Amino acid sequence: QVDLVESGGGLVQAGGSLTLSCTLSGRAVSVYAMGWFRLAPGQDRTFVAMMDWRDSNTYYADSVKGRFTISRNIGKDTLYLQMNSLKHEDTGVYCCAASTRDRGIRADGYGYWGAGTQVIVSS
């Protein structure tokens, strides 16, 4: 069992920054990858960024490249998402996810999900 808890969301003006955190507990040794997905009203979960837990390689959606940075604190089993130059279209609930069997960008490859943290970017 893997448990995920996100924090750090909030209301920010366009052009501003936020840092999201996701704390991992439980069977952390079984994790292959962790990622961030965005859920907006009327839309499916949208891939934002992911990190291979084995070698820390990262991958980003084209829409956030150069603006967002995914990172980890190994000792604290925590995943971060630094979001800069935020845009109105970045608005949504950001969910942290963990996979124990895949290292991809598809939401259905991730079996464990946090409840999410709300990010609102005002234009």
Side-chain angles (χ1 to χ4, degrees):
Q1 181 66 32
V2 174
D3 296 311
L4 304 171
V5 178
E6 304 96 334
S7 62
L11 173 64
V12 63
Q13 288 187 334
S17 299
L18 281 175
T19 300
L20 307 183
S21 300
C22 174
T23 301
L24 167 68
S25 61
R27 293 181 55 85
V29 293
S30 63
V31 171
Y32 279 33
M34 290 189 67
W36 290 97
F37 291 78
R38 180 176 63 245
L39 184 61
Q43 298 181 16
D44 292 333
R45 288 169 175 164
T46 301
F47 170 74
V48 175
M50 65 83 66
M51 176 177 284
D52 186 319
W53 223 235
R54 173 189 56 188
D55 56 18
S56 296
N57 281 341
T58 59
Y59 189 78
Y60 297 91
D62 288 342
S63 61
V64 307
K65 282 180 182 176
R67 299 189 298 122
F68 291 11
T69 302
I70 189 170
S71 62
R72 66 188 288 191
N73 182 318
I74 296 175
K76 294 183 178 180
D77 280 336
T78 302
L79 183 74
Y80 302 98
L81 186 68
Q82 173 68 43
M83 305 187 294
N84 298 326
S85 302
L86 281 161
K87 304 176 182 180
H88 177 67
E89 51 264 41
D90 295 322
T91 294
V93 176
Y94 282 72
C95 296
C96 174
S99 175
T100 56
R101 60 181 178 90
D102 203 352
R103 295 182 175 88
I105 65 172
R106 292 172 54 92
D108 60 9
Y110 290 77
Y112 299 94
W113 293 83
T117 184
Q118 177 79 55
V119 172
I120 300 173
V121 184
S122 62
S123 56

